[in-house]
Amino acid sequence: MHRLNTRDPGFERAFRRLVSDRRESDEDVARDVEVILADVRNRGDAALAELTERFDGHVLATDADWSLSPEACREAFDALKPDLRAALELAATRIRAYHEAQRPTDRDETDELGVRMGARWTAVDAAGLYVPGGRAAYPSSLLMNAIPAKVAGVERLVVVTPANKGQVNPLVLAAAHLAGVDEVWRIGGAQAVAALAYGTQRIRPVDVVVGPGNAWVAEAKRQLYGVVGIDMVAGPSEILLIADGRNDPDWTAADLLSQAEHDPAAQSILITDDAVFADTVADRIGVELAMLPTARVASESWNAHGTIIEVANLDEAPALANALAAEHVQIATDDPEALFRKIRHAGSVFLGRMTPEAVGDYVAGPNHVLPTGRRARFSSGLSVLDFMKRTSFIQLDEAALHAVGPAAVELADAEGLGAHARSIQVRLGQ
Amino acid sequence: MHRLNTRDPGFERAFRRLVSDRRESDEDVARDVEVILADVRNRGDAALAELTERFDGHVLATDADWSLSPEACREAFDALKPDLRAALELAATRIRAYHEAQRPTDRDETDELGVRMGARWTAVDAAGLYVPGGRAAYPSSLLMNAIPAKVAGVERLVVVTPANKGQVNPLVLAAAHLAGVDEVWRIGGAQAVAALAYGTQRIRPVDVVVGPGNAWVAEAKRQLYGVVGIDMVAGPSEILLIADGRNDPDWTAADLLSQAEHDPAAQSILITDDAVFADTVADRIGVELAMLPTARVASESWNAHGTIIEVANLDEAPALANALAAEHVQIATDDPEALFRKIRHAGSVFLGRMTPEAVGDYVAGPNHVLPTGRRARFSSGLSVLDFMKRTSFIQLDEAALHAVGPAAVELADAEGLGAHARSIQVRLGQ
């Protein structure tokens, strides 16, 4: 864990190091991924089957090996114990309600010159959702990715997920049923992303690919960006807690560890104006870790990346927060709004002492897929818009063309684009 | 030029070939671009100066070599002849008005359980705009890229443009003045994109890079995607014209050539239900070409990629249009709306006989930066949203946490995330 103090002479340099700390994998998988994408593009299902057997130990022979039926998803859902089923349903209902209000509105206006202009939003035809295998196969993540797609109006929503020796997490299947997923394929890795983008004999291509994954999956999405739309290149999770000394240190310790437990590369940062509180929180993290089933991952993250920044005054926090542009910012003060007003760059902000970030991961409603690695400077959490696109339109009548056409001819001529000018002039009788 | 007919037995195959026709450069510049990006990242201005001298023949020594002042831009604007200045001003005014209505609205709601949820939009701090050198330095393109950024509220808008032997197109500078560009740097290529993304000693980094460019620029943007936001990987322009036989063939010929003249790789497609009209348009294209200053490029494009598709009935057109997902779709019929209703995938649609696409390039108002290469299936034209990002927020009070917290604990436990559960349980007194 790192300890910084804005009053220290070395603070600027230490803080710059914190801001530029790249916790993302530098593993160079680009060349390997290139080869896999080309292989799936050229050989389709045959390549998929070979790669899946090699990487996942799963043989794709029969239809049932390839994909799981909607019935299998429904059965997984029906088999949930009642409390868990109710929790998943509450989450789905709240996520759906929040995202329904994200649907954009169309435009259709005619101005005083008679120029009609507008924009019409439509959903993509098909979307693919990557669900990681193993420990990171989270049903909440499936809901957060799938529900916005369905709310957008996507007709065909396809899940791909690696099936280690054929196994897929039943909670993920239950969530797929609840979210209305249309197809579930037991494939993973870069090869699954390639199948979604290019299509194969069995799998029809999609238009957008979303969802988290390892370095290979992330690189495959990056390389296929443009062939399909993608959500974002995602990195390890992070939280920035801004807290005064009047917080329960146990709460703060638990909040910091709730990001640390995701990934050894995750980062938890506390900004506080109270040195005693800072010390107590650091102590309590040790105590909490001892009780935590995820202690190994959480302590690795906290030791390597955890940071406590002591400030003279919490008014210094927004500038630090903007430089860090964290995925999650939690403000545990009596008047969180005052600080929030000055924070421009953050994925999602959790206001007040009774709003632990974890509540946003599951049941609050807003999306938990958020920009990491300082990308909140320029990008947003997943939304219905990631599954839609806008078609603008223009309509002129003769009078409108006479009003604005000559200016367009002037500009086309200045740009040396004769046919552009001509297409207007012939209509103006010139 | 290719001639297809939906009644021909070979149509399906020929149309599939048309849909999958990749007109984008396959030039493999990835490795070279990697080297340039790393060089600028490591050595900053020194690398920029060397690369600029090598590629553009422009020596970067004094401040004046590096950048052009706002005064230089104002002087270029003041020197415009009156008609051209008025045309640029009309374009800027109309583009600004259309994009101002694109500003998104914030959300702030509290539901019946007391969970407050919302989203707040803010502009990125700084945006970079690549303006190609030479023939493709279009003032209209500068307006279309710069005005949405300024409308979004971007404080610092930076233009980079290669200055062949020091020269920058004065029309571009005039447009930069009109659009309120803050900095103009005389650098180009992948090295300029790297400077925008990483920053150098002279050039502060930006958050988003937009604008068209050659294969090197496009590849640099693709590789830096994630370090900064980018608009889209852009390919050659394309138009799909849907026209019945009651159009003036000269108008239609001019419309087809207005895209063809952009680039030998551009593509113009006519869908019509009238064989005689199709023949006449093909003839008139020959006549028009003879008069056209851009004939060399336009005829190269038309000969290689131009296509006329004869349909039995224009009702067949929307399905073909959706498969092609063209950048521009022009519908020249009496009731264009009837066909437009069935077109889901298109960058921008131009309705009716008096709406040549060229009017949208300059003065209509909607953006002319649009998805190419079938990307209208999943992406949209440039907008104010490309320069903004959304921060979601959540606030719970104690009652709200008691209402939804237990479900979150249930899910966290099911996902094996103990600290997530714990951060809620400690607050519920569990």
Side-chain angles (χ1 to χ4, degrees):
Chain A
M1 190 265 286
H2 311 273
R3 189 78 184 253
L4 278 63
N5 189 319
T6 56
R7 279 165 291 208
D8 288 347
F11 175 76
E12 280 299 332
R13 203 197 312 174
F15 184 70
R16 262 206 307 279
R17 203 180 310 126
L18 180 67
V19 166
S20 58
D21 179 18
R22 279 193 77 259
R23 291 165 295 110
E24 293 177 19
S25 163
D26 274 328
E27 201 185 336
D28 189 6
V29 297
R31 309 286 181 267
D32 293 341
V33 166
E34 256 176 51
V35 172
I36 291 173
L37 301 191
D39 194 20
V40 173
R41 189 177 194 179
N42 294 330
R43 298 196 303 130
D45 288 341
L48 271 184
E50 281 175 30
L51 293 161
T52 300
E53 188 163 355
R54 190 192 318 161
F55 292 125
D56 304 334
H58 175 51
V59 177
L60 295 169
T62 66
D63 287 355
D65 297 330
W66 280 88
S67 66
L68 288 158
S69 64
E71 290 69 42
C73 297
R74 187 168 34 76
E75 281 164 23
F77 182 76
D78 290 342
L80 292 176
K81 69 182 177 71
D83 283 358
L84 186 52
R85 187 202 299 194
L88 259 190
E89 281 174 334
L90 179 74
T93 303
R94 295 187 58 88
I95 296 165
R96 191 171 294 119
Y98 183 82
H99 288 80
E100 271 170 0
Q102 271 179 348
R103 279 205 208 96
T105 45
D106 293 347
R107 292 175 62 178
D108 191 348
E109 304 133 25
T110 302
D111 71 12
E112 67 291 351
L113 299 176
V115 179
R116 179 180 169 209
M117 290 162 288
R120 206 176 59 182
W121 289 89
T122 48
V124 301
D125 286 339
L129 164 50
Y130 192 93
V131 177
R135 238 183 57 79
Y138 296 139
S140 62
S141 186
L142 191 140
L143 295 183
M144 289 288 185
N145 281 277
I147 291 173
K150 280 293 168 184
V151 169
V154 174
E155 295 267 336
R156 180 171 159 257
L157 178 55
V158 184
V159 162
V160 292
T161 189
N164 196 285
K165 299 199 171 51
Q167 292 309 301
V168 174
N169 184 334
L171 288 179
V172 164
L173 297 184
H177 169 75
L178 190 55
V181 167
D182 300 289
E183 302 169 18
V184 178
W185 297 90
R186 290 200 276 186
I187 53 174
Q191 60 274 18
V193 182
L196 289 172
Y198 296 128
T200 68
Q201 294 85 343
R202 284 180 182 261
I203 304 173
R204 282 176 297 150
V206 303
D207 303 298
V208 167
V209 177
V210 301
N214 62 18
W216 295 59
V217 171
E219 177 62 21
K221 284 167 69 178
R222 217 183 60 80
Q223 290 188 18
L224 289 166
Y225 168 64
V227 177
V228 287
I230 67 171
D231 47 349
M232 205 348 114
V233 179
S237 195
E238 53 208 23
I239 190 167
L240 170 64
L241 236 106
I242 303 172
D244 60 26
R246 291 187 308 287
N247 284 283
D248 184 323
D250 282 349
W251 299 12
T252 305
D255 294 347
L256 291 166
L257 291 175
S258 75
Q259 291 311 303
E261 75 177 339
H262 269 301
D263 187 337
Q267 181 164 59
S268 303
I269 301 175
L270 169 65
I271 296 181
T272 183
D273 58 353
D274 187 322
V276 176
F277 176 71
D279 291 336
T280 317
V281 170
D283 288 346
R284 297 307 300 173
I285 282 186
V287 177
E288 292 277 332
L289 273 173
M291 304 187 289
L292 205 59
T294 54
R296 198 190 51 76
V297 170
S299 62
E300 205 179 317
S301 156
W302 178 250
N303 293 336
H305 304 292
T307 304
I308 297 181
I309 304 176
E310 203 186 312
V311 292
N313 190 305
L314 284 186
D315 290 343
E316 298 172 30
L320 303 177
N322 285 330
L324 289 162
E327 182 187 15
H328 306 105
V329 176
Q330 204 175 309
I331 309 178
T333 63
D334 283 336
D335 181 12
E337 208 72 33
L339 293 173
F340 181 35
R341 265 193 296 275
K342 297 176 191 156
I343 294 177
R344 294 172 48 78
H345 309 311
S348 192
V349 178
F350 302 81
L351 299 162
R353 306 187 198 279
M354 296 304 281
T355 315
E357 186 279 327
V359 85
D361 280 340
Y362 296 111
V363 292
N367 212 288
H368 80 196
V369 180
L370 296 164
T372 56
R374 296 187 66 235
R375 298 192 184 89
R377 289 174 296 126
F378 56 81
S379 66
S380 311
L382 193 72
S383 82
V384 163
L385 297 185
D386 290 295
F387 301 96
M388 302 186 80
K389 66 273 185 331
R390 194 181 351 89
T391 298
S392 58
F393 59 88
I394 301 170
Q395 181 164 24
L396 277 70
D397 57 17
E398 204 177 331
L401 191 63
H402 273 93
V404 302
V409 171
E410 187 74 37
L411 291 164
D413 281 339
E415 293 185 352
L417 295 173
H420 282 64
R422 173 92 178 134
S423 72
I424 296 165
Q425 287 172 312
V426 286
R427 288 173 165 86
L428 297 177
Q430 291 173 342
Chain B
M1 191 264 286
H2 310 272
R3 189 79 183 258
L4 277 62
N5 189 319
T6 55
R7 278 165 292 206
D8 287 348
F11 175 76
E12 281 300 331
R13 204 198 310 172
F15 184 71
R16 264 205 308 279
R17 204 180 309 126
L18 180 68
V19 167
S20 59
D21 180 19
R22 278 193 77 261
R23 290 164 296 113
E24 294 178 18
S25 161
D26 274 328
E27 200 184 340
D28 190 6
V29 297
R31 309 285 181 269
D32 293 341
V33 167
E34 256 176 51
V35 172
I36 291 173
L37 302 190
D39 193 21
V40 173
R41 188 177 195 178
N42 295 330
R43 297 196 301 130
D45 288 341
L48 270 184
E50 282 175 29
L51 292 161
T52 300
E53 187 163 358
R54 189 192 318 163
F55 292 124
D56 304 334
H58 175 53
V59 177
L60 294 170
T62 66
D63 286 354
D65 297 330
W66 279 87
S67 66
L68 287 158
S69 65
E71 290 69 40
C73 296
R74 188 169 33 74
E75 281 163 24
F77 182 76
D78 291 341
L80 292 176
K81 71 183 177 67
D83 283 357
L84 187 52
R85 187 202 296 195
L88 259 190
E89 281 174 334
L90 179 74
T93 303
R94 295 187 58 88
I95 296 166
R96 192 172 293 117
Y98 183 83
H99 288 81
E100 271 170 358
Q102 272 179 347
R103 279 203 207 98
T105 45
D106 293 347
R107 292 175 62 177
D108 191 347
E109 303 133 26
T110 302
D111 71 12
E112 68 289 350
L113 300 176
V115 179
R116 179 182 171 209
M117 291 162 287
R120 206 176 60 181
W121 289 89
T122 47
V124 302
D125 286 339
L129 164 50
Y130 192 93
V131 178
R135 239 183 57 80
Y138 297 137
S140 62
S141 185
L142 190 140
L143 296 183
M144 289 287 183
N145 281 277
I147 291 173
K150 281 293 168 184
V151 169
V154 174
E155 295 266 338
R156 179 171 160 258
L157 178 55
V158 184
V159 162
V160 293
T161 189
N164 195 286
K165 302 201 167 48
Q167 293 309 301
V168 174
N169 183 335
L171 288 180
V172 165
L173 297 184
H177 169 74
L178 189 55
V181 167
D182 300 289
E183 301 168 18
V184 179
W185 297 89
R186 293 200 272 186
I187 54 175
Q191 61 273 19
V193 182
L196 289 172
Y198 296 128
T200 69
Q201 294 85 345
R202 285 179 181 262
I203 305 173
R204 283 177 296 148
V206 303
D207 304 297
V208 167
V209 176
V210 300
N214 62 18
W216 295 59
V217 171
E219 177 61 21
K221 283 168 70 180
R222 217 182 59 82
Q223 289 189 19
L224 289 166
Y225 168 64
V227 177
V228 287
I230 67 171
D231 48 350
M232 202 353 109
V233 179
S237 195
E238 53 209 26
I239 191 168
L240 170 63
L241 236 105
I242 303 172
D244 60 26
R246 293 187 305 285
N247 283 283
D248 185 323
D250 282 350
W251 299 13
T252 306
D255 294 348
L256 291 167
L257 291 175
S258 75
Q259 291 311 301
E261 75 177 338
H262 268 303
D263 188 335
Q267 181 164 57
S268 303
I269 301 175
L270 168 65
I271 296 181
T272 183
D273 57 353
D274 187 323
V276 176
F277 176 71
D279 291 335
T280 316
V281 169
D283 288 346
R284 297 308 300 174
I285 281 186
V287 177
E288 292 278 333
L289 273 173
M291 304 189 287
L292 204 61
T294 54
R296 198 189 53 74
V297 170
S299 61
E300 206 179 318
S301 157
W302 179 249
N303 292 337
H305 304 293
T307 304
I308 298 181
I309 304 176
E310 203 186 313
V311 291
N313 189 305
L314 284 185
D315 289 343
E316 299 172 29
L320 302 177
N322 284 330
L324 289 162
E327 183 187 14
H328 306 104
V329 175
Q330 205 174 310
I331 309 178
T333 62
D334 283 337
D335 182 13
E337 208 72 34
L339 292 173
F340 181 34
R341 263 194 298 275
K342 296 175 191 157
I343 294 177
R344 292 171 48 79
H345 309 313
S348 192
V349 177
F350 302 81
L351 299 162
R353 305 187 198 280
M354 296 305 282
T355 315
E357 186 279 328
V359 85
D361 279 341
Y362 295 111
V363 292
N367 212 287
H368 80 195
V369 180
L370 296 165
T372 55
R374 297 188 66 234
R375 297 192 184 88
R377 288 174 296 126
F378 56 81
S379 66
S380 311
L382 193 72
S383 83
V384 163
L385 297 185
D386 290 295
F387 301 97
M388 303 187 80
K389 67 274 182 337
R390 194 182 351 90
T391 298
S392 58
F393 59 89
I394 300 170
Q395 183 163 25
L396 277 71
D397 57 18
E398 203 176 333
L401 191 62
H402 273 93
V404 302
V409 171
E410 187 74 36
L411 290 164
D413 281 339
E415 294 185 350
L417 294 174
H420 281 64
R422 172 92 177 136
S423 71
I424 296 165
Q425 288 173 310
V426 285
R427 288 173 166 87
L428 297 178
Q430 292 173 339

